[in-house]
Amino acid sequence: MIKKSKRIKIIEELKKNTNNAPDINYKDFEFNDEAITFIYSMSVSSSNDINDFILRRIDEDKDKIKSDDLYEYVKNYIPNNNILSFSEEKKISYYVMSGFTVCVFDDGKLLAFENRANIYSPINKSENEKGIKGPSDAFSENYQFNMGMIRRRLKTEKLWIDEATVGTESKTKVALFYIKGVSNEQMVKKISKQINNINIKYVGNTNYIIDAISNTNRFIFPTMLATQRPDFACQMLLEGRIVLMVENSNEVIILPCMFIDFFKNPEDYYEKSLNVIGNRIIRIIALFLAILTPAVYISLMAYNQEALPSGLLINFSIQRDGVPFSTVFEIIVMSFMFYILRESDMRFPGKGGSSISIVGALVLGQAAVEAGIVSPITIIIVGISSVASLAFSSIELINSIKWVQLFLIILAALFGFIGVMFGFIMLMALLISQNSCGKPYFSPFEPFNFKAQKDAIITKKSAKFNPDIVYDKDDDDEKNS
Amino acid sequence: MKKIHKIIIILLFIFCLSGCYNYEEINNYAIVSGISIDQNKEDNSKYDVGIQIMNAKKDEEADNSLITFYKASGNTIFESLEKIMLDSPKEIYLGHNEVIVISETLLKEKDPLNFLDFFMRNPQVEKDSLVMIAKDSNAYEVLKIITPLETIPSRNLKSSLNIADKYSGTLTIITIDEFISNLINDGVEAVLPAVTIDGKTSSGDDMENISESDPKTKLKFETLGFFQNNKLKDYLSKDESMGYNFLAGTPSETYINVKCDDSNYASLKISNSKLKEEMVIKDGKPKVSINDNITADLAEYNCKADFIKNNDIIEEIEKNASKKIKELMNKSINKLYVENKSDVLKYGLKFYQKKYKEMEKYGYKAEEIINNIDFDINVNVEINSSELSIKSVKENK
């Protein structure tokens, strides 16, 4: 009687804690003088698996089983790839919610069988980071698939994975991937410690982890690189970086990351290095154009006209003739219009987006110029800077460029070229002073690392596995001390 | 928070440096591209200043000219410009001025330093503006001539002077700051290119002038005007100005004609000139030895010859060319240093810079040293290539 009451007590406790959740099922089996209960969730576990491999099996073999070795029988004869024996009663709900079937015995022994249902989206093509060449599979929301995608690419035993659970309510798994012997161990330790110290309720996406472990949120540029592409993640792992994978999230975080990494594309490693150098230079020029064009244009139009060639000056002057607003106002208004267009284009569901672009192009571009509200050059300038700002695959970088643009526009409007210069110096100071997981953000340019230049602007296939970016002198010093 | 304080302090600093005080939209400016300076006919102490504005007008009204002229007179250049400002609806902007045309009569009567101060003092004025003399006419008239190839007159003046300087070898480009420093320095006299109106003056500023295929009025750059004691003295002839350019080491891509038989000529195109000057004061007598190594291409040869077989022919041409260039140089030295005592080639300054001790010893001053200066000229022409042919066309006969 004492034995029975323990099983029933556990079940009653669970029912009370979950408020008798409708999707949690309790299935009792009674033998001669013993009974067991299977607890499973209908929503996250596969009912077929439970029926075929657990319930039917028990039902068919009911007579053969002797009550003495019931526990041994269930443990050994039920076909399942992942049978866990545990004793903490508190863990029952976690296993049930994770898609396990938990078997409770009279003496309070507990067994869990994995019957996870496949309720994840399948492996898709990467949508945010498009590429012409190379593998096109992307991380999905399935934690195990994601892990598999990395394992499949790096079959080495040196790929080590540390797992932790984050989120007091969501209990999300977070895995830390690194290559033993290549990654900096101290950094791995530091990051695992940081992850274990996270105290949040819910982990919705990788960004929750990024926000929780980055030291400051005031820095507008992203200090962690999130990618959807497993090939890129493996590439980065081999360079000695750490990859953070979060359950239910379709991207992984790469740590530490430098500013130059936002100019890299997975595709870069599948093409001829010489051509890639050209692409990277174009991306860097695009950054400069995105940040500087509106500010420089304002300084030229309002303060430093002597810096323009005379032909261009007359041209600009003729174009601006009759426009009632100041250049600064024009630029700011048109930039805002572009951002509003972009936002509505992104948020509008389905095919409606293209009609917004047409309205934007026609109404805000052509018609505004013909009506004499803005000058055509303003449209060109805003066009150049906004197209250039979209040349990057990282949405975080694109969003941060917006702030820099506005900051420099205001400085240009107040101080002309001196202001732009000052703003640019401040921006550089900000970038150089920053760090990502203790690594200088502007490396390998500042501090200058000659060896790492091979995978900065210049790419060399041979330099792909060069751990210089992560390993530098400081690490060795730290280790020795 | 301390960081923010620092940033605010730096922002205050740059506010003091620049601030919004010179915020001016580009379309509020009247962009001046040319300035003319004449002497007022009634009052000799007044200047007539004309400006040419590249007006901001939209292209659809293409019939209207893109340029507008304003003219006013005053005791200073600044006063005249201020008067113009009252007439024009926009602020005058001198930052992109291209040419400054000064009339011949004014330069002959007055030291240009009396009225050029404004151009150095005003921070806005383009210091690279080209200065030229309006020869035989009013400076304002020159500024107003419209020609078909370049409808903006000052642009036309600037680019034709650039082309003339590059290919004719008789001209030289002088910017306003060069001109003024030549006037200020001891031992240097100024030199300026001169522009003349070729044809009727009255039709030149008409838009009809550009609709004709053979415009009645054109502008011509021919000679250089040289100064003595900061006043325009005279003009150099074509040969003399060519000699001047060889002496100054700036012959550009000019040509030299050499006789190769009784009636036919050969042309040499100068490609490079290495000029070496040496200043010597020997027994109290200053002497300049000039060594000019010129390389040239044979551009045309109208006599009968086969260069490969006969090397003497090339040597003969080289010798004749050297002689000719030396002649040109001598002509120009004769005109400048013997007849007019005008130290356009800066020898006074060069002596002062290099032989200061000797000059002190003999009591020479920079501006006086040219009075009894000697020249020793040595020209060596070398023909680099005969371009596509290695013999004359006549040789094939």
Side-chain angles (χ1 to χ4, degrees), chain A residues 301-303 305-306 308-311 313-314 316-318 320-321 326-328 411 413-415 418 422 426, chain B residues 7 10-11 14-15 18-20 22-27 29 31 54 56-58 90 93 96 98 155:
Chain A
M301 295 296 273
Y303 289 99
Q305 288 94 347
E306 65 277 357
L308 277 171
S310 340
L313 179 85
I314 296 161
F316 281 8
S317 174
I318 290 171
R320 277 218 25 92
D321 193 36
S326 69
T327 316
V328 184
L411 281 178
L414 292 175
F415 310 114
I418 294 177
F422 167 75
M426 275 225 315
Chain B
I7 289 168
I10 295 173
L11 279 173
I14 54 171
F15 198 82
S18 85
C20 307
N22 56 355
Y23 182 94
E24 191 70 58
E25 290 283 342
I26 206 167
N27 49 332
Y29 279 138
I31 302 153
M54 298 193 266
K57 254 180 202 159
K58 287 220 165 140
K90 292 178 175 183
Y93 177 67
H96 278 265
E98 277 164 355
R155 189 69 64 73

Side-chain angles (χ1 to χ4, degrees), chain B residues 58-262:
Chain B
K58 287 220 165 140
D59 248 351
E60 289 100 283
E61 309 141 23
D63 278 339
N64 294 341
S65 79
L66 273 171
I67 37 177
T68 315
F69 295 93
Y70 285 99
K71 195 178 170 185
S73 52
N75 286 321
T76 62
I77 306 287
F78 184 69
E79 188 196 353
S80 323
L81 288 174
E82 288 290 303
K83 278 184 183 169
I84 291 172
M85 199 100 83
L86 294 178
D87 299 342
S88 109
K90 292 178 175 183
E91 192 182 323
I92 286 173
Y93 177 67
L94 296 168
H96 278 265
N97 185 35
E98 277 164 355
V99 291
I100 297 169
V101 188
I102 307 171
S103 74
E104 190 185 27
T105 43
L106 182 60
L107 287 173
K108 274 187 175 162
E109 277 177 32
K110 269 193 179 168
D111 183 348
L113 290 178
N114 290 331
F115 53 86
L116 289 182
D117 178 71
F118 171 77
F119 295 98
M120 294 315 277
R121 193 175 297 277
N122 190 314
Q124 210 185 39
V125 178
E126 171 81 277
K127 303 290 182 285
D128 274 348
S129 309
L130 303 184
V131 188
M132 52 192 77
I133 308 169
K135 192 186 169 198
D136 304 328
S137 67
N138 207 326
Y140 190 53
E141 298 295 333
V142 170
L143 198 65
K144 274 163 64 177
I145 303 289
I146 306 168
T147 50
L149 283 180
E150 178 69 80
T151 47
I152 298 170
S154 56
R155 189 69 64 73
N156 177 39
L157 281 169
K158 189 183 179 180
S159 48
S160 6
L161 182 55
N162 273 323
I163 294 290
D165 171 59
K166 197 174 175 196
Y167 294 106
S168 78
T170 59
L171 288 164
T172 185
I173 288 179
I174 304 285
T175 59
I176 182 80
D177 55 343
E178 272 174 349
F179 179 53
I180 291 176
S181 82
N182 284 351
L183 292 171
I184 293 169
N185 281 334
D186 284 339
V188 183
E189 292 290 354
V191 62
L192 281 182
V195 59
T196 46
I197 297 173
D198 186 16
K200 277 188 282 178
T201 326
S202 54
S203 65
D205 53 353
D206 218 329
M207 285 311 267
E208 277 171 30
N209 195 39
I210 61 167
S211 52
E212 277 177 49
S213 53
D214 183 12
K216 289 191 179 101
T217 315
K218 289 177 197 162
L219 288 169
K220 232 178 177 178
F221 284 98
E222 267 180 341
T223 59
L224 292 169
F226 61 92
F227 284 64
Q228 201 216 356
N229 287 333
N230 284 1
K231 275 179 189 164
L232 181 65
K233 179 83 184 191
D234 201 357
Y235 296 96
L236 295 174
S237 72
K238 198 184 171 223
D239 280 0
E240 285 157 359
S241 40
M242 229 164 157
Y244 163 81
N245 266 320
F246 276 112
L247 283 168
T250 54
S252 309
E253 291 177 27
T254 188
Y255 61 92
I256 288 287
N257 282 349
V258 184
K259 243 185 183 178
C260 57
D261 60 26
D262 294 339

Side-chain angles (χ1 to χ4, degrees), chain B residues 256-259 268 292 294 315-331 377-381:
Chain B
I256 288 287
N257 282 349
V258 184
K259 243 185 183 178
L268 292 184
D292 199 0
I294 292 169
E315 271 171 27
E316 179 80 22
I317 301 167
E318 284 175 349
K319 223 168 116 190
N320 286 341
S322 309
K323 217 169 119 191
K324 178 115 192 230
I325 290 170
K326 199 174 165 183
E327 225 169 77
L328 291 173
M329 287 176 164
N330 274 328
K331 264 189 192 173
I377 299 171
N378 200 354
V379 181
N380 186 19
V381 176

